[in-house]
């Protein structure tokens, strides 16, 4: 349709590592970093390198969010970790509270006990995107 008027360039798979969006709600990286680097290690143990948000793109293009918690942290109550993650994301304002509540009700964030995913260079970043095949 747009090609008929000369617009022939198509862009796909554009992602921003400055924000995380799902279910129509967006959180900026600084909010997520505070929770991953300070709150979760302070309450559940480990270091900031033991927590990561993994954004997985399924074959249908729908994004799933996993809160990765390293096995090094030891036994945890996964539901409590997830609840803490969302409560802390919702602390800084009405819009953030709404977003965290929507993610909670939709079951958007799942805790996955696994080693955080490293980049090809071997770095552990707070966020990692896994593209669908």
């Amino acid at each position: 349709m747009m090609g008929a008027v000369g617009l022939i360039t198509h862009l796909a798979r554009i992602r921003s590592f400055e924000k995380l969006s799902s279910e129509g709600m967006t959180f900026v990286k600084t909010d997520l970093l505070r929770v991953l680097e300070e709150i979760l290690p302070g309450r559940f143990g480990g270091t900031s390198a033991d927590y990561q948000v993994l954004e997985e793109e399924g074959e249908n293009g729908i994004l799933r969010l996993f809160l990765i918690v390293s096995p090094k942290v030891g036994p945890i109550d996964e539901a409590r970790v997830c609840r803490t993650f969302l409560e802390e994301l919702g602390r800084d304002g009405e819009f953030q509270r709404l977003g965290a509540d929507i993610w909670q009700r939709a079951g958007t964030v799942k805790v996955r006990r696994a080693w955080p995913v490293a980049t090809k260079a071997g770095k552990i970043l707070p966020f990692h995107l896994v593209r669908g095949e």
Side-chain angles (χ1 to χ4, degrees):
M1 176 157 59
M2 301 299 279
V5 294
L7 301 173
I8 58 171
T9 302
H10 298 270
L11 302 176
R13 295 182 180 251
I14 297 173
R15 298 280 184 253
S16 170
F17 292 100
E18 297 302 315
K19 62 184 179 183
L20 189 61
S21 297
S22 185
E23 309 292 340
M25 304 310 298
T26 300
F27 290 95
V28 294
K29 187 176 179 179
T30 53
D31 294 338
L32 291 160
L33 282 175
R34 177 184 62 81
V35 178
L36 293 172
E37 293 181 350
E38 298 171 21
I39 303 299
L40 296 179
R43 293 207 188 145
F44 300 101
T47 68
S48 61
D50 293 314
Y51 299 89
Q52 182 180 57
V53 172
L54 181 72
E55 184 180 62
E56 239 177 36
E57 182 180 6
E59 60 188 48
N60 56 6
I62 294 178
L63 295 177
R64 295 172 295 196
L65 300 177
F66 294 95
L67 176 57
I68 303 297
V69 181
S70 168
K72 187 173 88 175
V73 173
I76 58 166
D77 178 341
E78 292 180 12
R80 187 168 162 240
V81 171
C82 188
R83 192 170 48 252
T84 299
F85 177 74
L86 291 170
E87 285 172 358
E88 289 297 327
L89 281 181
R91 264 206 207 288
D92 292 332
E94 205 167 309
F95 183 75
Q96 289 86 348
R97 270 191 301 282
L98 173 65
D101 186 49
I102 288 172
W103 281 13
Q104 175 73 39
R105 284 194 250 160
T108 301
V109 179
K110 304 285 187 214
V111 172
R112 182 183 285 172
R113 295 305 303 265
W115 297 105
V117 180
T119 65
K120 290 179 183 178
K123 292 183 178 181
I124 302 290
L125 301 176
F127 312 102
H128 191 81
L129 170 65
V130 177
R131 298 198 186 279
E133 299 301 320

